[in-house]
């Protein structure tokens, strides 16, 4: 096991009825004026937002609402939130929603604590975040793992670039996680969330730093858990055991625990970000669109590692390392197909692209060929073109 530092300060409040503890959690973490961030109308239609606000009112906690956050959240929306939070005098940002809402809340927290700095400067890594407001979460979607992660991803709608920052200030102070709040998720959203959880683990698993250790075994167990309960949840969205296992797996998958002592890759996430930024495609679906092409391009770099994945996650025990590698890739894609997830540009709904568009995506990914992404196998512009082309059918 290689050296690592691991610290996740987020207080997890998990289980049925835990939304009732939101005011208690806010006060415990120093909040006195709460700025509530949410997305579309679902939290209003379900009555969740009203219940949260009633709990705050009964505790004597003033609050202000900021709604309208969309999937693939925008920098411009977060800037609006910074202005409104500052005007209200917020001292805690409360996200009621999933990853897009939470990431927007993180940006608002950083901006409201640094009113002299445009948050785009933080995302462009031109200035460091040295202070922020505490962030709370009432989770409604099991997917991004943003409720425990040090990551926040936004699309800069001025440049068209989607990207994230990984800093400890992104860790929420607390996360209220009631699996019953995910019962009403549309089938497509649930499936995309399952894929996102798997990919947060897979993007950490594929590394050249191998060995028989706990980090690998945890990652493999998490993947098997999501595969098992994902099938159950897709057939019954109100199966509490399945929905609770998926919710907790989402948090564990992105808190850093499954990459301890390892170098993370996240090349597939970077490839997928360009699709969601360019075509406003669902994040989880862009991941399944790109992973098979990435894996087929990469597996010969380390067939033993891909074979280990195939054996320990999918039970493939027969064949050469190369044969088991290909079987593991195929079984992963077949599982995603069974959930209704796409494996190509056409299935994603964006159609087959011409060579100029493929080059555009590769240019955006690599800053015109000046940078690379990923760690397992660094993806330069020619490699990006090759991988995008493999998915372009």
């Amino acid at each position: 096991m290689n050296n690592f530092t691991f610290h996740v300060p987020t207080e997890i409040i998990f289980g049925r009825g835990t939304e009732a503890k939101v005011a208690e959690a806010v006060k415990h973490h120093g909040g006195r004026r709460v700025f509530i961030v949410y997305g579309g109308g679902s939290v209003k239609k379900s009555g969740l937002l009203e219940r949260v606000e009633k709990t705050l009112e009964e505790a004597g906690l003033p609050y202000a609402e900021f709604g309208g956050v969309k999937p693939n959240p925008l920098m411009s929306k977060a800037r609006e939130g910074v202005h409104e939070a500052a005007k209200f005098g917020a001292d805690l940002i409360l996200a009621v929603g999933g990853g897009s809402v939470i990431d927007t809340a993180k940006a608002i927290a950083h901006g409201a604590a640094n009113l002299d700095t445009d948050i785009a400067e933080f995302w462009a890594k031109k200035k460091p975040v040295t202070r922020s407001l505490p962030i709370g979460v009432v989770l409604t979607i099991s997917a991004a793992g943003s409720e425990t992660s040090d990551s926040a991803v936004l699309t800069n709608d001025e440049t068209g670039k989607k990207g994230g920052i990984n800093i400890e200030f992104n860790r929420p102070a607390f996360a209220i996680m009631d699996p019953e709040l995910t019962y009403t998720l549309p089938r497509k959203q649930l499936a995309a969330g399952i894929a996102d959880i798997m990919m947060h683990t897979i993007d950490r698993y594929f590394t050249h730093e191998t060995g028989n250790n706990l980090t690998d075994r945890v990652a493999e167990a998490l993947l098997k858990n999501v595969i098992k309960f994902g099938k159950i949840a897709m057939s019954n969205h109100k199966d509490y055991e399945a929905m609770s296992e998926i919710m907790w797996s989402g948090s564990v998958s992105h808190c850093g625990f499954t990459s301890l002592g390892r170098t993370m890759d996240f090349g597939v996430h970077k490839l997928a970000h360009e699709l969601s930024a360019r075509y406003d495609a669902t994040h989880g679906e862009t991941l399944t669109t790109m992973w098979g092409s990435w894996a087929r391009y990469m597996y010969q770099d380390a067939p033993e590692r891909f074979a280990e994945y195939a054996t320990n996650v999918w039970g493939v025990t027969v064949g050469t390392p190369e044969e088991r590698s290909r079987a593991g890739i195929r079984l992963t894609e077949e599982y995603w197909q069974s959930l209704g997830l796409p494996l190509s540009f056409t299935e994603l709904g964006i159609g087959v692209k011409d060579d100029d568009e493929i080059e555009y995506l590769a240019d955006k990914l690599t800053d015109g060929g000046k940078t690379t992404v990923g760690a397992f196998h660094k993806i330069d512009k020619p490699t990006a073109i090759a991988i995008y082309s493999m998915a372009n059918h």
Side-chain angles (χ1 to χ4, degrees):
M1 178 68 75
N2 294 330
N3 292 9
F4 62 83
T5 299
F6 184 56
H7 175 61
V8 180
T10 306
E11 179 185 14
I12 304 296
I13 306 166
F14 191 98
R16 290 186 175 96
T18 49
E19 69 182 66
K21 297 184 178 182
V22 64
E24 177 185 338
V26 166
K27 286 186 174 181
H28 177 72
H29 291 280
R32 295 296 179 267
R33 295 181 66 81
V34 183
F35 191 70
I36 303 172
V37 182
Y38 63 96
S42 60
V43 295
K44 283 193 169 183
K45 290 176 184 175
S46 69
L48 174 60
L49 184 63
E50 182 180 0
R51 296 194 302 272
V52 167
E53 291 176 346
K54 183 179 179 182
T55 302
L56 295 175
E57 288 170 6
E58 290 174 348
L61 292 168
Y63 63 85
E65 290 184 9
F66 182 71
V69 175
K70 296 180 179 179
N72 297 316
L74 299 176
M75 187 78 68
S76 59
K77 185 66 177 179
R79 282 198 190 100
E80 289 178 32
V82 170
H83 175 76
E84 294 299 321
K87 186 168 68 173
F88 174 66
D91 59 12
L92 184 142
I93 312 300
L94 180 65
V96 182
S100 296
V101 170
I102 300 168
D103 285 0
T104 301
K106 291 176 180 182
I108 293 170
H110 306 336
N114 299 275
L115 293 173
D116 58 341
T117 302
D118 183 351
I119 55 173
E121 298 284 288
F122 298 140
W123 260 256
K125 300 177 178 62
K126 294 180 179 178
K127 289 189 177 181
V129 180
T130 58
R131 61 182 181 272
S132 189
L133 299 181
I135 304 151
V137 174
V138 179
L139 187 64
T140 64
I141 303 172
S142 304
S146 191
E147 65 278 0
T148 55
S149 81
D150 67 354
S151 174
V153 178
L154 295 177
T155 297
N156 187 326
D157 31 342
E158 294 175 358
T159 65
K161 184 67 177 176
K162 182 175 181 178
I165 55 172
N166 294 82
I167 55 174
E168 283 303 307
F169 285 108
N170 279 333
R171 305 271 193 191
F174 69 88
I176 289 173
M177 299 172 58
D178 180 350
E180 290 186 337
L181 298 180
T182 67
Y183 281 2
T184 58
L185 284 175
R187 182 178 177 84
K188 175 180 174 177
Q189 200 167 32
L190 177 59
I194 291 166
D196 200 7
I197 295 166
M198 291 179 67
M199 278 307 309
H200 280 148
T201 311
I202 290 171
D203 264 341
R204 290 173 164 91
Y205 185 86
F206 283 99
T207 172
H208 294 288
E209 299 156 336
T210 59
N212 186 17
N213 58 64
L214 181 60
T215 296
D216 282 352
R217 303 296 82 80
V218 169
E220 291 157 0
L222 192 152
L223 286 165
K224 291 168 72 174
N225 203 51
V226 174
I227 291 163
K228 172 185 174 180
F229 287 107
K231 291 179 181 178
I232 296 169
M234 289 297 288
S235 62
N236 180 7
H237 292 200
K238 295 185 178 182
D239 185 301
Y240 182 82
E241 181 184 31
M243 298 302 269
S244 64
E245 290 291 332
I246 291 169
M247 178 173 271
W248 182 230
S249 294
S251 295
V252 175
S253 75
H254 206 27
C255 71
F257 191 60
T258 59
S259 59
L260 296 181
R262 297 301 169 86
T263 301
M264 296 187 293
D265 180 69
F266 275 77
V268 178
H269 264 76
K270 300 292 187 181
L271 289 159
H273 281 337
E274 298 306 330
L275 299 184
S276 55
R278 180 69 164 167
Y279 310 112
D280 197 28
T282 300
H283 174 59
E285 293 188 335
T286 63
L287 293 171
T288 61
T289 295
M290 292 311 308
W291 185 77
S293 295
W294 174 90
R296 289 186 179 89
Y297 189 94
M298 300 295 180
Y299 82 91
Q300 291 183 343
D301 279 11
E304 294 81 6
R305 185 59 168 170
F306 277 86
E308 185 176 15
Y309 165 77
T311 297
N312 294 346
V313 175
W314 295 103
V316 179
T317 59
V318 177
T320 65
E322 289 79 6
E323 289 169 339
R324 283 183 285 144
S325 296
R326 291 192 293 271
I329 296 167
R330 175 178 52 79
L331 288 167
T332 305
E333 289 192 310
E334 287 178 357
Y335 177 76
W336 285 335
Q337 277 188 317
S338 76
L339 304 185
L341 292 163
L343 304 179
S344 67
F345 282 13
T346 299
E347 291 178 6
L348 182 62
I350 63 175
V352 175
K353 302 302 176 185
D354 61 25
D355 291 345
D356 289 343
E357 187 69 1
I358 295 295
E359 185 166 4
Y360 172 87
L361 292 169
D363 272 331
K364 294 294 286 187
L365 179 71
T366 64
D367 191 21
K370 291 182 285 187
T371 62
T372 62
V373 300
F376 182 76
H377 176 124
K378 291 188 181 298
I379 300 172
D380 57 13
K381 182 178 174 179
T383 303
I385 289 173
I387 296 172
Y388 280 129
S389 297
M390 290 170 70
N392 186 33
H393 56 88

